[in-house]
Amino acid sequence: MGTLRDLQYALQEKIEELRQRDALIDELELELDQKDELIQRLQNELDKYRSVIRPATAQQVQAQQQSLVLQPDQHRSKRQAISAEPTACDISALSHVTLPFYPKSPESKELIKEAILDNDFMKNLELSQIQEIVDCMYPVDYGKDSCIIKEGDVGSLVFVMEEGKVEVTKEGMKLCTMGPGKVFGELAILYNCTRTATVRTLTHVKLWAIDRQCFQTIMMRTGLIKHAEYMDFLKSVPTFQGLPEETLSKLADVMEETHYEDGEYIIRQGARGDTFFIISKGKVNVTQEDSANQEPVHLRELTRGDWFGERALQGWTLTASEYVNILH
């Protein structure tokens, strides 16, 4: 009898253990569903971020790439390549587009510029693009308790606040308050989506605004013009003159413009290299440390059209190009 009771007790324990396991499985499945939802949200945010770097256009032209530095795939720059080769017609048409201009005080211009550079979605724009955005922004005023953006609405404007304070809510819950020098509503021009939150004024506010069409025109025009400039530059380099037009266009797509001051080091001997440089303007001095006395020995001087760091494209470590110092 005691044995039967022991078996019954053991059976009950096993049943309870199975119930606990079932409950644990249910919890894990729920957690998995939540993680799937999180992954989807993050994917959506990634798509939105990519749209900052690669804004969609009717011609599917990506306008962010402005480069004179060629990098291997595993070390690609944060700026993406132009996806379609620009034609003379494209550039000509965009060159004749007249963008609006609204005068601003130097203080307002600087505030807008700093707000853009402080925004996670827009800070990677080229300075020339930011300048055009600043010029095209127009003034907007809202009184206290006004709704600037309503969650769920379709938006086409992005704002930079110059004066006042606003409250941001989502699904009725307060997220934060914002004051001068902040960008909001940027997803409306960077990604084709509805407003993700509501923005209501707490005081009288003064804003600067730009619409999606104007923003994307700036992105297209600067990208296409820069691409054409890089093509002309590559064609002027004797070594590249025999390359097909298609190859030159692909090179231009993955170039990034980089500036160095007089006396600044570009590459140091022994450092791991991940960039191939072509000189567009100025001169560089190439030196190598002498193993005997540890003093740099001058190797050569490079000028416009010359390049260095080519072994970085093969993923090699630089050992000979080694102290590169700007002269002019």
Side-chain angles (χ1 to χ4, degrees):
M1 203 62 174
T3 302
L4 179 59
R5 287 175 181 173
D6 290 342
L7 291 174
Q8 290 175 337
Y9 181 74
L11 179 60
Q12 291 296 328
E13 284 187 332
K14 290 295 182 182
I15 292 174
E16 182 62 28
E17 183 179 342
L18 289 174
R19 287 175 179 171
Q20 292 177 356
R21 288 184 179 180
D22 288 340
L24 177 61
I25 290 173
D26 290 340
E27 291 178 4
L28 292 175
E29 287 179 344
L30 178 60
E31 184 178 349
L32 182 61
D33 290 340
Q34 293 173 343
K35 289 185 180 298
D36 286 340
E37 292 177 2
L38 176 61
I39 290 172
Q40 185 59 49
R41 289 200 301 271
L42 291 175
Q43 184 62 51
N44 291 337
E45 291 300 319
L46 178 60
D47 291 339
K48 295 172 185 177
Y49 178 77
R50 284 172 175 165
S51 68
V52 181
I53 310 302
R54 306 177 66 178
T57 67
Q59 293 81 11
Q60 296 300 307
V61 178
Q62 312 307 326
Q64 297 283 356
Q65 181 65 25
Q66 300 189 23
S67 54
L68 286 180
V69 177
L70 186 60
Q71 300 184 325
D73 289 342
Q74 64 269 34
H75 297 289
R76 288 297 299 275
S77 167
K78 62 188 176 183
R79 297 185 181 91
Q80 302 296 319
I82 299 173
S83 64
E85 181 179 347
T87 64
C89 180
D90 293 330
I91 298 173
S92 176
L94 287 171
S95 298
H96 288 84
V97 173
T98 301
L99 294 172
F101 174 81
Y102 297 90
K104 303 170 182 68
S105 67
E107 293 77 14
S108 293
K109 290 181 179 180
E110 185 64 21
L111 179 140
I112 297 172
K113 176 183 174 182
E114 291 301 319
I116 293 174
L117 291 174
D118 187 52
N119 182 268
D120 289 338
F121 289 97
M122 301 180 71
K123 64 184 179 183
N124 293 326
L125 299 179
E126 297 291 341
L127 289 178
S128 60
Q129 294 169 332
I130 293 176
Q131 185 57 56
E132 286 200 82
I133 292 172
V134 171
D135 291 340
C136 292
M137 281 193 143
Y138 60 89
V140 181
D141 288 271
Y142 285 90
K144 184 178 179 181
D145 295 327
S146 298
C147 183
I148 305 175
I149 290 176
K150 185 178 180 181
E151 183 178 355
D153 285 354
V154 176
S156 62
L157 297 175
V158 64
F159 302 92
V160 174
M161 188 178 319
E162 182 166 23
E163 296 177 4
K165 185 180 293 186
V166 299
E167 181 181 76
V168 183
T169 60
K170 183 177 180 65
E171 298 177 353
M173 299 293 293
K174 179 180 176 180
L175 298 181
C176 65
T177 59
M178 293 190 298
K182 293 296 182 180
V183 175
F184 61 92
E186 66 272 19
L187 297 186
I189 63 170
L190 306 176
Y191 188 72
N192 187 20
C193 65
T194 57
R195 299 295 194 183
T196 58
T198 296
V199 179
R200 182 174 292 276
T201 62
L202 297 176
T203 65
H204 178 272
V205 299
K206 178 180 179 181
L207 309 168
W208 295 97
I210 187 172
D211 62 63
R212 182 192 297 118
Q213 183 176 359
C214 184
F215 175 84
Q216 292 187 349
T217 298
I218 293 172
M219 296 300 101
M220 273 202 305
R221 184 164 68 178
T222 54
L224 290 175
I225 291 175
K226 273 295 184 181
H227 185 275
E229 291 177 356
Y230 297 153
M231 287 287 289
D232 290 341
F233 167 68
L234 291 173
K235 290 177 181 178
S236 71
V237 178
T239 307
F240 299 145
Q241 287 177 352
L243 295 178
E245 188 87 4
E246 180 182 357
T247 301
L248 291 177
S249 180
K250 290 179 179 179
L251 285 174
D253 281 349
V254 295
M255 295 174 76
E256 179 182 350
E257 187 172 327
T258 307
H259 300 268
Y260 295 89
E261 299 297 328
D262 183 14
E264 186 176 354
Y265 288 105
I266 304 174
I267 295 176
R268 287 183 178 270
Q269 184 172 348
R272 178 81 182 176
D274 62 2
T275 307
F276 170 52
F277 296 87
I278 306 173
I279 301 174
S280 173
K281 182 181 180 182
K283 299 178 182 179
V284 300
N285 185 36
V286 184
T287 63
Q288 183 178 18
E289 274 192 5
D290 185 273
S291 56
N293 55 25
Q294 300 296 313
E295 291 295 324
V297 177
H298 179 267
L299 298 181
R300 61 189 179 277
E301 183 178 278
L302 304 177
T303 59
R304 174 183 167 86
D306 292 329
W307 67 81
F308 54 93
E310 62 273 13
R311 279 186 288 171
L313 299 181
Q314 301 173 342
W316 296 358
T317 300
L318 298 178
T319 56
S321 276
E322 292 77 320
Y323 284 116
V324 183
N325 188 22
I326 295 206
L327 295 180
H328 301 289

